[in-house]
Every structure is written in structure tokens, then in C-alpha cells.
Amino acid sequence: MDMIETLEPKPGADRRAMMKGALALGVLGPAFAATAARAAEPAYPAAAFAAKDVDAALTALFGAKPAASDKITLDAPEIAENGAVVPVTASTTLDGVTAIAFVVAENPFKLASYYELPAGVLPTVSNRLKMQRTTQVMAVFKTAGGLFSASREVKVTIGGCGG
Amino acid sequence: MAGTIRAKAAIAGDVTTVQVLIHHPMDSGFVKDAAGKVVPAHFIETLVFSHSGKTLFAANWGPAVSKDPYLKFQYKGGAKGDVIDIAWKDNEGQTDKSTVTVS
């Protein structure tokens, strides 16, 4: 894990070289960190969170692709002034929901959040997500009858992933 | 990290609504600080709500969840006075836990 160590401050180190290293590793660092955490927390779907492709994330998480459904309500602002905090709520009238995932298509890591719903939990979740730029947001519901999704676009005027 | 969890749980009819706000940087690993150095990714990975040892709701988060994350969910089968245990763990192994009583 010396790649991550290079992100630590080193007194006297040449700052330009350090920045160069940090830039190159900024993309890889979180992926390694997520992979390393998997051993400690077996339930955490680290591979899905590290995926840089929507299909790869959903396949890692569910092993299948969702079908679009009009029984899902995805509530998110049409225009988000601040991409760092975008409130997103998803709910459905589908029965037998066991999991809900939120995917932000234009983020470096596509999967934003994943919720497991034991019996008795209503199929509605609200959370706040970061969005790097204007993007499609997708909510995926895993039900007894298969995988279903709904998407909508959120226009972002100030990105939420730095830069 | 202690005292990072603020939660509310209220029952109306047979539906209990739980809301939680957690104080956490949720650093994505893509942001640079004032000195131009990348702030390493630091985010909550798992957040579990349970009652009497039984999991009520489990959240898995990546770095795209906003700073000081907020979450709301609802479940049936709760009762006034139920104590819900809340615990989170982040990618650096830090943890915090708290409880909230259904009102």
C-alpha cells in the first residue's frame, strides 16, 4: 500500500513531485482502499463500489441488469446548484423489495449507495449524494420478481467531487 | 469518533420513520486541499440500524454520499419505546454508535 502512503505529507519532499504522484493516484487510491476494507467487513460490496462502469457496478451488486419500471418514483431536483449535496429519494409500489441501489452515471465510481431492506421495511429511502456534473441518476430496486430501475437527469451547476 | 450520530425515530400508525444525520467528512479522494494535496478518501462504508439484535436496515455507502450524510427510511412492526441501535464504520476502521428511542 505504498501508493496510499505517497498521499501522506512528507516533510521536505519536493512538492511538485508529490502533487504529480497525488494526481496520478487520486483515481486509484479509493479503489485500493475499498478493496482493502472488504476483508474486515464481508458484507460491504466493495467491488461494486469500486466499479467505474454502470453495468459493471450493477453486475457486481446484483448479477443482472435491471428493467425500466414506471412503478418507481425517483425524486431529485431538476437543477442542483450544489453538486456536493443533492437530495435523492426513491420509492416504489413494487412488492417484495429487498434492496435499493442509487447509481450516479457521471461520477468516477458509479454506485453511490446501496441499502438492504429486511422484511417490514417500506420500499422508500431518502439520502443525499454528490454529483460531479450533470448526470443521469438511477434507482435500482431488487424485488422478489426481479430487478427494476428508474432514471432521471439532474443538472449540476457546481460539481461535488472537487476540482 | 464519538457523538457523531443524531437520530430521530417516530411512529405514526404502524409505520416508524427513522431519520439520521451523521457528522463525517465523507472525503471522496478526489478533492485537493488548499496546498493542492489530494485529501485521501475517508467515508462511511456501513451503517446498520438494529433492534434487539435484529437488523432493521443496512446502508452501504461509497464516497459519493454527501458530507455529513443524511438518511431516512421507514418500517412496519415498530412500537413506541423501542430502542434502535445505530452503528457505523468507515473505510479507515473508525466507528461510532448510538441509540434512538421510538417516540
Side-chain angles (χ1 to χ4, degrees):
Chain A
M1 283 305 208
D2 32 316
M3 305 193 86
I4 283 173
E5 277 167 28
T6 57
L7 297 175
E8 299 294 324
K10 278 181 191 143
D14 177 62
R15 209 177 124 206
R16 184 169 297 172
M18 206 168 79
M19 275 179 66
K20 207 171 153 191
L23 273 175
L25 296 169
V27 181
L28 294 171
F32 282 117
T35 312
R38 179 156 47 175
E41 188 67 59
Y44 184 70
F49 276 107
K52 295 187 171 182
D53 176 278
V54 173
D55 284 349
L58 293 177
T59 304
L61 201 54
F62 299 115
K65 284 187 198 173
S69 169
D70 56 6
K71 292 181 174 167
I72 295 171
T73 308
L74 182 56
D75 191 14
E78 196 174 317
I79 298 172
E81 282 185 10
N82 181 1
V85 186
V86 184
V88 181
T89 298
S91 60
T92 183
T93 53
L94 294 163
D95 288 329
V97 174
T98 56
I100 303 175
F102 289 92
V103 174
V104 181
E106 294 293 331
N107 275 2
F109 299 116
K110 309 307 180 190
L111 181 64
S113 56
Y114 171 64
Y115 302 100
E116 292 157 87
L117 283 57
V121 179
L122 302 185
T124 172
V125 174
S126 303
N127 57 187
R128 299 195 298 214
L129 306 177
K130 295 177 212 167
M131 297 178 191
Q132 192 175 32
R133 53 179 167 261
T134 297
T135 181
Q136 286 288 324
V137 179
M138 186 199 275
V140 182
F141 285 72
K142 184 186 182 186
T143 77
L147 275 182
F148 298 97
S149 69
S151 300
R152 66 174 295 166
E153 190 186 60
V154 175
K155 287 191 168 63
V156 175
T157 45
I158 303 172
C161 289
Chain B
M1 297 173 89
T4 60
I5 301 173
R6 276 170 54 198
K8 230 166 41 174
I11 190 164
D14 62 346
V15 175
T16 305
T17 301
V18 180
Q19 292 181 87
V20 65
L21 195 59
I22 299 171
H23 184 63
H24 195 284
M26 297 300 284
D27 290 316
S28 68
F30 294 97
V31 178
K32 289 181 210 144
D33 64 15
K37 195 167 69 72
V38 171
V39 179
H42 182 204
F43 56 93
I44 294 174
E45 291 189 332
T46 57
L47 167 66
V48 177
F49 298 82
S50 56
H51 170 59
S52 301
K54 187 172 155 265
T55 300
L56 283 178
F57 189 83
N60 297 271
W61 284 342
V65 171
S66 299
K67 177 185 174 177
D68 296 339
Y70 166 83
L71 176 71
K72 176 181 164 183
F73 70 96
Q74 298 179 310
Y75 68 97
K76 285 184 176 179
K80 217 169 207 167
D82 279 359
V83 175
I84 298 172
D85 294 300
I86 306 169
W88 63 255
K89 184 176 176 205
D90 70 21
N91 65 322
E92 292 184 350
Q94 293 176 335
T95 60
D96 193 14
K97 56 187 177 181
S98 181
T99 59
V100 64
T101 304
V102 178
S103 61

